[in-house]
Amino acid sequence: MPISSASLRRPLLLAAVFAALLPYGASAQTVDNVVTRPLGSEAEPFKTNRPAEGAQPSTGLGVLDRMGAKLPDLPAEKDYKGPIDTAYGAYQRGYYLTAMQLALPRAQLGDPAAQTLIAEMQYAGLGVRRDLKSAAFWYGKAAEGGDAAAMFKYSLILMAGELVPRNKAKADDYMHRAADGGNPSAQFNWAQLLTTDHPGPEGLKLALPYYEKSARQGIADAQYAVAQIYSVLPDLPEQKKKLAREWLSRSARAGFDTAQLDLGIWLINGNNGPRDFVNGFLWMKLAANRGNVAAQNKLAHLYINALGTKPDPVEAAKWYVLSRRAGLPDPELEDFYLGIEDVQQKQAIDRANKFRRLP
């Protein structure tokens, strides 16, 4: 029985992956908790790649063109013939007290799924008083019984060392077993651990199958990692390398703002596929509106250089002001800002003051 997505945390950062990618030309910059991964040696700067005068900047199908297209019919739903978990059914419908009453007798008899359900409700305070210590106890029991979701959550608890004594070896073992048991968040985190414990190409090769499994189950962080690894790791099949942009697109569509930033860069620079200035601009703007500081900085350059959009000095200055306030300096943008009219500077500051990031 899976744990609700609201309870999942990302205990490990993607930094381990990109530290391993550094020998292959990837780099990382951290700006006010925003990590941007510039492209490698094949990347070309925005300003040197402006479209020729009169040329159409966009290639490929635009986002608006895709909207309204008829989707294929869904396959017929198969009749479910397996056992019915009435406790979990009550939990899904929001009847938490009923779910607790149905699950507790089963949990006391050693049912790992019921133990996980009780732990989840106690951990989140759903229908009962929040009790983290009791939740940790039931997660531990369910983990011992082999429930993949419980093993993942109990691994996090063991890593934190707040509710139970910290035990890295046991935490790693549960994370590995949860990953092999099919839990997508555990697969992602186990891949992270592998890249940390085995720096360089060895760790990436060990981790990649777990990233791929997690990515196929919809974890945006894993989709992002797969895209980056496919893009730069040598000795991968050409078929996988061709899928790098598709995985980055999936992560971006899932709402991961760093993937949206990088997809904008890839589209504008023509990395791992054809150039598409218009859609590159749209992805960059989306990431900027969600508060990604690096995207705000790059969006200012796009407005100045009319890449994927019409030139707009006030919008360019607005995004520069926002990124500068967040602690990202840019001498080139500062020169631009000082060179525009005073009234345009005031308009840009007014727009920046009214900015509210998208959720």
Side-chain angles (χ1 to χ4, degrees):
M1 182 205 64
I3 295 174
S4 65
S5 59
S7 69
L8 302 181
R9 297 188 292 132
R10 295 172 183 164
L12 301 172
L13 300 177
L14 284 169
V17 179
F18 301 101
L21 290 177
L22 287 176
Y24 304 114
S27 60
Q29 298 173 354
T30 303
V31 182
D32 192 29
N33 294 325
V34 174
V35 179
T36 172
R37 285 90 184 180
L39 302 174
S41 58
E42 295 182 358
E44 301 171 6
F46 291 145
K47 293 193 69 175
T48 61
N49 285 297
R50 296 183 61 182
E53 191 68 29
Q56 294 295 324
S58 175
T59 59
L61 194 63
V63 171
L64 295 179
D65 297 322
R66 293 190 180 95
M67 295 176 66
K70 186 180 184 302
L71 297 175
D73 294 333
L74 292 173
E77 187 173 346
K78 296 180 180 179
D79 292 335
Y80 178 71
K81 302 183 183 303
I84 303 298
D85 189 332
T86 54
Y88 188 54
Y91 169 81
Q92 288 182 309
R93 296 193 300 274
Y95 302 143
Y96 300 123
L97 287 176
T98 300
M100 178 66 74
Q101 292 169 354
L102 293 171
L104 187 57
R106 289 167 43 196
Q108 292 171 333
L109 293 174
D111 184 331
Q115 292 167 342
T116 302
L117 181 58
I118 289 176
E120 179 66 5
M121 289 189 289
Q122 290 186 331
Y123 192 91
L126 298 175
V128 295
R129 180 177 60 86
R130 194 175 190 219
D131 190 337
L132 300 184
K133 286 278 189 181
S134 182
F137 168 80
W138 286 113
Y139 277 130
K141 288 296 183 183
E144 290 175 5
D147 184 273
M151 288 191 288
F152 166 64
K153 194 60 179 280
Y154 196 58
S155 174
L156 301 184
I157 293 172
L158 288 166
M159 288 181 190
E162 296 173 357
L163 301 176
V164 299
R166 189 174 188 276
N167 188 327
K168 184 181 185 305
K170 194 172 183 179
D172 288 355
D173 178 61
Y174 273 135
M175 189 66 76
H176 189 182
R177 289 168 59 191
D180 286 341
N183 183 279
S185 295
Q187 289 164 345
F188 170 75
N189 282 281
W190 179 243
Q192 295 286 82
L193 288 168
L194 288 172
T195 59
T196 300
D197 294 341
H198 303 85
E202 177 190 359
L204 290 176
K205 291 176 182 177
L206 289 172
L208 183 56
Y210 288 98
Y211 280 131
E212 291 171 325
K213 291 175 184 177
S214 180
R216 286 193 288 269
Q217 296 198 66
I219 301 298
D221 303 63
Q223 293 168 343
Y224 181 85
V226 168
Q228 297 292 345
I229 294 172
Y230 280 4
S231 176
V232 300
L233 191 64
D235 303 326
L236 286 178
E238 191 62 29
Q239 183 179 4
K240 287 191 173 185
K241 290 181 176 293
K242 290 179 180 179
L243 294 175
R245 186 183 282 190
E246 172 58 28
W247 281 115
L248 188 62
S249 297
R250 291 190 188 188
S251 181
R253 291 194 296 269
F256 190 17
D257 66 305
T258 305
Q260 293 165 352
L261 162 68
D262 283 8
L263 182 57
I265 295 173
W266 284 22
L267 289 166
I268 291 166
N269 284 339
N271 188 268
N272 296 302
R275 280 193 172 95
D276 186 339
F277 291 98
V278 169
N279 280 318
F281 167 81
L282 291 174
W283 281 113
M284 194 72 71
K285 187 175 182 180
L286 179 58
N289 275 311
R290 297 193 67 205
N292 188 299
V293 179
Q296 292 170 348
N297 172 274
K298 294 185 184 300
L299 189 61
H301 286 282
L302 296 183
Y303 274 114
I304 293 170
N305 294 288
L307 290 175
T309 186
K310 295 179 180 179
D312 190 330
V314 176
E315 274 296 291
K318 178 193 89 171
W319 290 110
Y320 168 57
V321 168
L322 287 168
S323 63
R324 183 180 63 184
R325 286 176 180 175
L328 181 56
D330 189 319
E332 184 177 345
L333 288 179
E334 181 68 17
D335 288 344
F336 159 78
Y337 179 78
L338 295 175
I340 62 178
E341 300 292 335
D342 289 346
V343 66
Q344 292 176 316
Q345 292 182 5
K346 292 178 182 179
Q347 289 173 341
I349 291 173
D350 183 59
R351 291 184 189 182
N353 291 338
K354 294 178 179 177
F355 171 75
R356 296 293 181 270
R357 61 181 294 174
L358 295 176

